[in-house]
Amino acid sequence: SVELDRFIRKRHAELRHQRQKAESMGGSIEYAQELAFVSSFVQHMNHVLLTCEEARSVRELLKNCVGENGNSEHDRQRCRIFHILLHSFAHNLGSVVSLCLWSGAFRTA
């Protein structure tokens, strides 16, 4: 029960901080909530990408796609997919770092 109380207080403090940050930036509470939702969604998509059997082909496609220096069209397409996911995953720091490490973009990570 103590852990649950700590979790609730921490979550309440985080939401209050997000609300204050959104209001100070001239935004609304809805914007902060949407941003939190997007970050959570990206985190779940990253989990699916890295762990689910159905995503194995995508994982294999992305594996070391940036670290390898290939000049074929296939290599350019792999790099393009990485960059699309990089911009999409940028809403969650942990997700973008794990994507970079998996794809061989060590300097970006």
Side-chain angles (χ1 to χ4, degrees), residues 26-79:
S28 65
I29 296 171
E30 290 83 20
Y31 177 75
Q33 290 172 342
E34 288 174 7
L35 191 58
F37 170 77
V38 169
S39 178
S40 176
F41 181 77
V42 166
Q43 186 177 8
H44 287 136
M45 291 305 297
N46 183 55
H47 178 73
V48 167
L49 175 67
L50 294 177
T51 60
C52 288
E53 183 63 33
E54 294 83 1
R56 178 182 291 249
S57 61
V58 178
R59 281 195 306 270
E60 293 302 318
L61 183 74
L62 289 171
K63 191 171 188 176
N64 291 323
C65 67
V66 177
E68 296 176 351
N69 291 329
N71 293 327
S72 70
E73 181 63 27
H74 180 69
D75 292 331
R76 283 190 289 275
Q77 287 177 351
R78 290 173 60 203
C79 225

